[in-house]
Amino acid sequence: MERFADIQMLRYKLTGFDNLSLKQKLYIYHLAKATEAGRDITFDQFGKYNLSIRQMLEDVYTNYNGDRDDEEFKSFEVYLKRVWFSSGIHHHYGMEKFVPGFSRAWLEGQIAAPNVLLDVIFNPEIQPKRVNKAEGVDLIKTSACNYYQNVSQEEVEAFYGKAKAEFDDDEIPSFGLNSTLTNKGEQVWCVNGGKYSKELLRICEHLEEAKKYAENDKQKKLIELLVGYYHTGNLQTFDEYSKLWVTEKEGEIDFINGFIEVYGDPLGYKGSWEGLVEYVDHEATKKTRLIADNAQWFEDNSPVDSRFKKPEVKGVSARVICAAMLGGDEYPSTAIGINLPNADWIRERYGSKSITISNIIAAYNEAAKGSPMKREFTCDEEMIALIDKYADQCDSLHTDLHECLGHGSGQLLPGVATDALKNYFSTIEEARADLFGLYYCADEKMVELGLLPDMEAYKSMYYTYLLNGLLTQTVRIKLGSDIEEDHMRNRALIANWAMAVGESPATNPIQLYKKDGKTYLRINDFAALRSIFAYQLAEIQRIKSEGDYNEAKRLVETFGVKIDKQLHKEVLDRYEKLNIAPYKGFINPMLCLVKDEQGNVTDVVADYTESYTEQMLRYGRGDY
């Protein structure tokens, strides 16, 4: 739809929405309103100046009377769109603060009076990174995320360590998930006198409206529990909600709404607010159900030590869904697969839900058609043919295995704390799920179940995954910078570690080589590579199950963080010539009520005509 900076905006289609009943559409409509209503929470969580900066920039944009083709204004417009996209002034993936392309003097001329916000925007020394995961520094004091006030990393770890030690039940709540920790204690995010009370109250009002159209009594109870949690901030209420949520499998419609993922906190305690409304893609779900139905087989045949395997896999459910509305930390950039809840003890005792988002994947695939990326970084015609034939199918299967079974597999040893890996947990957990998918994509069981057509298919997955981890994902990183984002660290860790494991006098199954001055990947032995993935999966599971912080740190820092500068420059130079935006994001559809002459709602329709700027300004006015 639109492109700016390093971002291309796309739309996603609500496939099959017209086939839903009016009651189902109204359920989605009100859940969607609850999803849109939490946007300001995410902005504030990502930086304490973000909301004020956004408001100032939007005021300048809407009231500007000068030449909108002026280079200063055009650069300002790009900066504003980047702030909208990233829910703040830091890059959504790289975490570094944006450098404005317009001058400070120009912006000063558009506002009533200079203020501290200008220093935050233009001074590179103020809040340079939203999330800092560099070794050897205080991760709290050097991160701009707005989860802590006047406390150090040591104080945070001591505070939550004490909270867990004093809790006398093994069903430990996710302490810190929904609060700001200050030097005076916790400020809980809740309606009843807590932070974000206004936004959460509005979310609750929309949830109460949605409850009137719920498909079953369990969905109604879920909404009651979630509203109760939002009002009180009680984490045990959230756990009750999560336990019920994983058992609700009868309805066509589901949603995520809450403080969920902890990637945005360098210590992994605080949940960023996110929302997603979804409905089932029945045809595509048939394959994921095959995976879920065989969950015990996958667990039993995993290459990990038997001590770390679940003797009985419970409650695994998997669906392919269509997204109907994205919000918070899932908007405009979103995941293609999700597995929740995150609490290990709930997964072990009650199960988990996994989703793959088919209409988002379809939009990505459509946007990728004809991309020159593949031929620039792959010169093997046989491999290109395999990628053309199998890549979409294998990528989808890997996502399903990652989300449906990977995250839900394995178990902690008794007495191991869920946060034992500290700031390395997220990278290790993503690596574990990815390795699970990589190992099983090459298993004959995939062909037996009809999930892949033959035993050649997985080779395209192995090649594209390693190519990404070793080379192409670095197009998203500035030259000279380290890898910061957990998913990127995970892929680099697996690929670089596999290269190191494979190095021997006898053979190396993976090889980077030069041709015509360009670096390419060659896989010499796919069976040997699968054995490496098996070894890695076993070791990563051991690290998690035993809470081996030192080895987690060693692996991540050795293989997942640094980039060879000369190779990185080569990749960036080659990529620049392709003129491709490395990041994609989505414009939400507008869900509109259709009424008859008496004012009765007769339908809900999806409107795809709203532009990115129109949508962002509407959200900024609180019009949702």
Side-chain angles (χ1 to χ4, degrees), residues 62-128:
T62 55
N63 297 318
Y64 184 72
N65 294 318
D67 180 5
R68 291 190 174 234
D69 288 327
D70 176 74
E71 289 303 317
E72 290 270 49
F73 180 82
K74 288 166 69 175
S75 295
F76 164 79
E77 185 177 25
V78 169
Y79 182 85
L80 173 57
K81 289 179 178 181
R82 297 185 79 182
V83 169
W84 283 335
F85 190 91
S86 296
S87 298
I89 62 174
H90 298 86
H91 197 282
H92 73 291
Y93 229 70
M95 301 296 168
E96 73 277 2
K97 189 166 71 173
F98 298 132
V99 177
F102 55 95
S103 69
R104 177 169 182 155
W106 182 89
L107 184 56
E108 285 179 343
Q110 313 306 318
I111 60 178
N115 56 56
V116 68
L117 299 181
L118 296 178
D119 290 333
V120 176
I121 291 172
F122 289 98
N123 188 336
E125 302 299 320
I126 298 176
Q127 297 195 336

Side-chain angles (χ1 to χ4, degrees), residues 23-41:
K23 182 180 178 183
Q24 288 175 316
K25 290 179 180 179
L26 286 169
Y27 189 38
I28 288 174
Y29 175 83
H30 290 290
L31 289 174
K33 293 295 182 184
T35 297
E36 294 173 304
R39 177 175 181 250
D40 284 356
I41 297 175

